[in-house]
Amino acid sequence: MKRFILAAVLAGLAGTALAANQADDAQLRAAIAGSHRSSANVARDTWRHPYETLTFFGIKPTMTVVELLPEGGWYTEILAPYLRQDGKLIGAGLISRTLLESNPAVYDKVVRGAFNPPKAIYNFAPPNSVDMVLTFRNVHNFVELGDDKVKEMFKALYTSLKPGGVLGVTDHRLPESMPQDAKATSGYIHESYVIRMAESAGFKLAGKSEINANPKDKADHKGGVWALPPTLANRDEDRTKYQAIGESDRMTLKFVKP
């Protein structure tokens, strides 16, 4: 009997290990390891944790995914090849044409969509058509528009998602004990603010992760978050200190459209 129980336990452990191995997203790892990525972007993986972040959000290669304001395309470098064959990537708003034209074998299927919060232009996807919306370090840029515009933006994201669709957010996190000014001029915002704005649009908070946390960052730098790497806006002033801190402390939030 004891041998039978031990065998059953070992079999269970083996099954668990197998399931964990099967859950590993080799396709995503391949996209992250792709030779098309710039060396400067690869160097930031240690701070941005792309594999852990995207798997926390629950991304799959068959999804239709919207990336808000990709601009230089740090995450686009990963998302485009990952979704190219069986999914779809929509770059909503500012996205580097130079990047898209640089490597058609990677970026030729990226779709560009309109996204302009001040003018309420949200023609990036039809209603109920998207599996996931991702926004990386963007929400703080909209705070100065006022709460009504921020809520309007989240509502547009909500509308684009299918029921059960996911909104993934990362942004520079301001300690709740510190006041958030009306324009978020430091680049930092309260996690509670993001949650409140998202929930006002109908989203439900599905999870938080400390994947992108940095306890060394106290969010009290001259010039705001841009004092830290990679910007180092203060140049040589306290450069060593800021380099020792590293990139910002970031919230990582997963919301779901019921």
Side-chain angles (χ1 to χ4, degrees), residues 144-164:
E144 65 178 330
L145 303 177
D147 286 359
D148 289 344
K149 285 292 185 181
V150 176
K151 290 176 182 178
E152 182 182 82
M153 178 198 71
F154 274 106
K155 189 63 179 179
L157 307 183
Y158 184 91
T159 299
S160 74
L161 284 164
K162 302 172 183 177

Side-chain angles (χ1 to χ4, degrees), residues 92-170:
L94 298 174
I95 184 169
S96 171
R97 182 181 293 275
T98 301
L99 174 69
L100 298 185
E101 294 176 350
S102 68
N103 193 337
V106 174
Y107 304 111
D108 62 336
K109 293 186 179 180
V110 178
V111 176
R112 302 180 71 179
F115 181 79
N116 191 337
K119 297 182 180 180
I121 298 173
Y122 304 114
N123 301 325
F124 56 88
N128 303 304
S129 66
V130 174
D131 298 295
M132 181 175 286
V133 175
L134 299 172
T135 174
F136 302 104
R137 304 166 315 284
N138 282 318
V139 178
H140 68 270
N141 292 312
F142 307 129
V143 173
E144 65 178 330
L145 303 177
D147 286 359
D148 289 344
K149 285 292 185 181
V150 176
K151 290 176 182 178
E152 182 182 82
M153 178 198 71
F154 274 106
K155 189 63 179 179
L157 307 183
Y158 184 91
T159 299
S160 74
L161 284 164
K162 302 172 183 177
V166 170
L167 168 64
V169 179
T170 72

Side-chain angles (χ1 to χ4, degrees), residues 66-77:
V66 171
E67 183 186 5
L68 292 189
L69 301 174
E71 298 195 49
W74 196 94
Y75 261 100
T76 309
E77 281 190 344

Side-chain angles (χ1 to χ4, degrees), residues 135-212:
T135 174
F136 302 104
R137 304 166 315 284
N138 282 318
V139 178
H140 68 270
N141 292 312
F142 307 129
V143 173
E144 65 178 330
L145 303 177
D147 286 359
D148 289 344
K149 285 292 185 181
V150 176
K151 290 176 182 178
E152 182 182 82
M153 178 198 71
F154 274 106
K155 189 63 179 179
L157 307 183
Y158 184 91
T159 299
S160 74
L161 284 164
K162 302 172 183 177
V166 170
L167 168 64
V169 179
T170 72
D171 216 324
H172 313 295
R173 180 165 49 190
L174 182 70
E176 297 290 334
S177 60
M178 296 173 64
Q180 177 181 308
D181 71 77
K183 295 187 177 182
T185 53
S186 70
Y188 292 94
I189 52 177
H190 289 150
E191 188 175 280
S192 61
Y193 172 85
V194 178
I195 294 171
R196 186 169 71 253
M197 293 295 104
E199 289 181 340
S200 75
F203 284 106
K204 302 298 182 186
L205 180 64
K208 301 180 183 182
S209 174
E210 292 300 297
I211 295 166
N212 296 301

